[in-house]
Amino acid sequence: MKTSDFYYDLPKELIAQTPIEKRDASRLLTLDKNTGAWEHHHFYELPDFLTEKDCLILNDSRVLPARLLGHRLPGGGVCEVLLLVDRGENVWECLVRPGKKLRPGAQVSFGNGELTGEIVGEVEGGNRLVKFRYEGIFLEVLDRLGKMPLPPYIKEELQDRERYQTVYSKELGSAAAPTAGLHFTKELLEKIAAKGVGIGYVTLHVGLGTFRPVKEEEITDHEMHSEYCIIPQETADLINRTRANGGRVICVGTTSCRTVESWAAEDGHMEAKAGWTSIYIYPGYRFKVMDALVTNFHLPESTLIMLVSALAGREHVLAAYEEAVRQRYRFFSFGDAMFIH
């Protein structure tokens, strides 16, 4: 299959730049994966599509304020460092700008010297290893100095950092939000639980590879990024119990999907596990665990639109996207949602 097979035309004005006031007031396009039939709803209606036999699997990763704006030492030229992966002993793998000026040995400073760093290495792909120096607790320093690493298609400054966190976020470590979960409120989750739907949590720390474009012509030539994920025992038990009782495993977001599909046995049995995954899901993939998916709209020609096409069929997905464009849905991180069932 060609990367161009997953292209659709999106007017720029439909890319949501700010979150709507009430999380669950976003629109919801439901898509029948077998027939391709769609319906228009609102996200607060999601419980109407769930039964007591079903379970929802959510990613509880929390976004780090990982974008640091500072200057180079000496000289004072501006620089930007984006934390990606904690490599231990105060060393982080980072994206840096300007790359030509930040080679190994370069020094950087943030917050009037409250946080400083040295470029101590360069890894394949051009990312840098930065060793940080600071007083106190690193995450507290980062909370004071860092900014939310919003996707490149969002140009507006975020007024409330919590609007780029899910209401159930808990485990710090993501460089971007698991955005399908941004539509949930605590009240909506309580309503879902009161209906008897099981709710389980996994953790996948979202990397910026999520936004890396597929540059290869053939989709199978694309190299997938790796991300760290965890499936707790209680979530594995919930999934196994749901499947044994004839219910549906409904993942919230492609990150939850990739987590459970990474570690499920061929027969769908799930066990607690943690590790790095680089699973790449595209049409032809046979899902072992996931039956339905709550997801946002995704970039044209991205690995994420390939994943949803694997679940519902490329033709059905692209037709649904065209309908969303016609109906002026809001797209991407702060946009509207789909329920593929």
Side-chain angles (χ1 to χ4, degrees), residues 289-303:
V289 171
M290 186 179 77
D291 300 296
L293 177 68
V294 177
T295 186
N296 279 22
F297 293 92
H298 302 296
L299 287 163
E301 302 184 336
S302 64
T303 60

Side-chain angles (χ1 to χ4, degrees), residues 79-94:
C79 68
E80 180 178 337
V81 171
L82 185 62
L83 308 183
L84 297 178
V85 182
D86 183 357
R87 295 300 186 191
E89 298 183 343
N90 295 328
V91 174
W92 283 74
E93 183 177 334
C94 305

Side-chain angles (χ1 to χ4, degrees), residues 4-311:
S4 57
D5 291 336
F6 298 89
Y7 177 80
Y8 67 93
D9 190 35
L10 177 68
K12 284 187 177 178
E13 66 268 19
L14 296 186
I15 300 173
Q17 294 297 314
T18 55
I20 61 173
E21 188 174 343
K22 199 166 186 321
R23 289 174 183 261
D24 63 358
S26 55
R27 296 166 78 184
L28 179 69
L29 182 71
T30 62
L31 175 64
D32 186 314
K33 65 185 180 184
N34 296 314
T35 68
W38 62 68
E39 294 179 359
H40 300 289
H41 296 275
H42 286 89
F43 201 84
Y44 54 73
E45 298 175 78
L46 181 65
D48 297 342
F49 300 98
L50 310 178
T51 76
E52 62 182 12
K53 284 187 173 184
D54 298 332
C55 73
L56 272 187
I57 305 299
L58 305 106
N59 180 8
D60 64 5
S61 183
R62 189 167 173 80
V63 186
L64 286 163
R67 185 171 170 240
L68 291 164
L69 305 176
H71 59 271
R72 308 192 303 274
L73 298 175
V78 295
C79 68
E80 180 178 337
V81 171
L82 185 62
L83 308 183
L84 297 178
V85 182
D86 183 357
R87 295 300 186 191
E89 298 183 343
N90 295 328
V91 174
W92 283 74
E93 183 177 334
C94 305
L95 280 173
V96 301
R97 287 191 213 164
K100 290 182 180 178
K101 301 281 188 180
L102 295 176
R103 300 292 186 188
Q107 305 281 332
V108 290
S109 175
F110 309 95
N112 296 317
E114 185 179 352
L115 177 66
T116 60
E118 179 183 352
I119 315 298
V120 295
E122 186 171 339
V123 298
E124 189 177 349
N127 291 349
R128 307 294 197 268
L129 298 177
V130 184
K131 187 173 183 66
F132 289 103
R133 297 180 294 274
Y134 53 91
E135 295 284 336
I137 299 171
F138 182 70
L139 290 178
E140 291 180 359
V141 174
L142 192 62
D143 195 54
R144 287 194 296 274
L145 302 181
K147 292 178 175 288
M148 279 295 170
L150 295 176
Y153 47 74
I154 294 179
K155 310 302 181 187
E156 302 257 344
E157 190 75 27
L158 186 61
Q159 300 303 312
D160 176 10
R161 291 202 310 194
E162 281 302 306
R163 283 303 269 111
Y164 197 55
Q165 305 281 14
T166 63
V167 297
Y168 49 81
S169 64
K170 186 172 67 172
E171 304 294 338
L172 266 173
S174 278
T179 53
L182 295 178
H183 304 280
F184 286 89
T185 63
K186 289 181 179 178
E187 294 76 19
L188 186 62
L189 285 169
E190 288 167 2
K191 186 176 180 181
I192 289 169
K195 196 168 182 176
V197 177
I199 297 178
Y201 296 92
V202 296
T203 303
L204 181 141
H205 292 316
V206 186
L208 287 187
T210 294
F211 304 113
R212 187 159 66 91
V214 179
K215 296 179 179 177
E216 291 76 9
E217 185 179 349
E218 296 285 342
I219 66 171
T220 50
D221 292 337
H222 177 70
E223 187 175 338
M224 197 68 177
H225 57 285
S226 292
E227 294 164 314
Y228 191 77
C229 59
I230 303 166
I231 300 177
Q233 185 64 57
E234 61 199 60
T235 301
D237 292 342
L238 171 64
I239 290 172
N240 293 333
R241 194 164 58 246
T242 298
R243 297 182 75 250
N245 292 336
R248 295 175 299 171
V249 176
I250 302 168
C251 290
V252 175
T254 57
T255 59
S256 299
C257 165
R258 292 180 67 239
T259 300
V260 299
E261 291 293 324
S262 291
W263 306 124
E266 282 302 315
D267 63 358
H269 182 76
M270 184 67 66
E271 294 186 1
K273 194 155 183 181
W276 292 86
T277 181
S278 56
I279 190 171
Y280 182 16
I281 297 175
Y282 51 84
Y285 178 84
R286 184 183 66 83
F287 288 89
K288 301 188 284 288
V289 171
M290 186 179 77
D291 300 296
L293 177 68
V294 177
T295 186
N296 279 22
F297 293 92
H298 302 296
L299 287 163
E301 302 184 336
S302 64
T303 60
L304 303 181
I305 196 171
M306 293 172 190
L307 185 153
V308 297
S309 296
L311 179 64

